[in-house]
Amino acid sequence: MGISSLATKYQYESFGTKWSGTRNASAITTVVVHHQAGTNFDNMPGVWRNVEASAHYGIGQDGTIRAYIDELKIAWHAGPANSYAIGIECTNTSLAPNWQVAEKTIDSLVRLIQDIEKRLGRKVQIIGHSDVMATNCPGPFLYPRLGEIRNRVAGNGSTSTPTPVPNPSPNLKSNDTIAQEVIAGKWGNGQDRERRLSEAGYNPTTIQTLVNQKLGASTPKPTPTPQPTLKPIGTIAQEVIDGKWGNGADREKRLRAAGYNPSTVQAEVNRRLGAGSAPNPAGKTVDQLAREVIRGEWGNEPQRSQRLRAAGHDAAAVQRRVNQLL
């Protein structure tokens, strides 16, 4: 892995460290498709100067592919999917409300994903940003074409077949029909069903919701990732003073991994050691908190909101700003 040979390495480290940690190629299972929400391809990484976001690749209106971050680094582009996904940004040819994307851009997107699969030696799941987060990305033009893109990546279809909007896949059956077929057992079960639905151009989550409605079942909620039982900040601060959490960057890394905010802990340490009064954690702006959430410093829901509220913050306002940044 690393960087696709199809791409030009573009201002690779010129816009700060917009990634968090590394991973093995075996961890990569998914490609998340984004739209740039802009028409200036050259300005794409410039937007990341002041936003806690990034992507592995960008594709211009003429099909040019640029690599921004090594595939084995974890970019900040799709929240909970960051650790296992490669993010690809597609430049738009028009702005709201259509957010259209050029056919050359889609052609290069297909070629790039095919190359990723070839180097991985296996198929990847192809999804839109809105499949994992509450956002309009990748837009009303590109998102409906993901079924076509999946088929083309798999080798079904020509290199450039424009698809009408808003009905980009006229050969697909209605979601209602597919839900009935799922109930009848025609699409298998579990992950095999999800894979087959995705490859056929359907959204497995949408189909499952319809199945649940028809069977009178509620939509299943994903099981939240268990969060560690957190000790009081005062206890952790005393452990830091006692030397149990190491020093410097290693201490911050260990505290964050255990679910604590290193800045809050350090403030309490300073207070106990008489190194100045502790800053008021509630004094952070909503924008600062949203960027911390994107970086994963506050964990996942529902514990994230609980922790924000416990620290004196407006969890709903922070989430709204997260949605705006993404």
Side-chain angles (χ1 to χ4, degrees), residues 231-245 251 255 260 264-273:
K231 299 178 183 179
I233 293 299
T235 301
I236 297 301
Q238 188 59 50
E239 290 182 359
V240 167
I241 294 171
D242 295 340
K244 296 180 180 181
W245 289 85
R251 176 200 295 167
L255 286 168
Y260 302 101
T264 303
V265 175
Q266 186 62 52
E268 177 62 15
V269 169
N270 293 343
R271 189 189 68 78
R272 291 180 176 227
L273 295 179

Side-chain angles (χ1 to χ4, degrees), residues 133-177:
M133 299 191 73
T135 174
N136 291 326
C137 178
F141 179 89
L142 189 55
Y143 185 83
R145 298 193 63 172
L146 291 183
E148 168 199 333
I149 290 167
R150 295 183 188 102
N151 286 333
R152 288 174 57 186
V153 168
N156 304 321
S158 62
T159 58
S160 181
T161 305
T163 308
V165 175
N167 183 23
S169 302
N171 293 325
L172 295 181
K173 299 178 183 179
S174 70
N175 287 337
D176 190 78
T177 299

Side-chain angles (χ1 to χ4, degrees), residues 25 79 185 220 233 275 287 305:
I233 293 299
D287 187 82
S305 293

Side-chain angles (χ1 to χ4, degrees), residues 209-224:
T209 299
L210 286 173
V211 169
N212 293 340
Q213 291 173 354
K214 292 178 181 296
L215 296 178
S218 60
T219 303
K221 296 182 179 179
T223 303

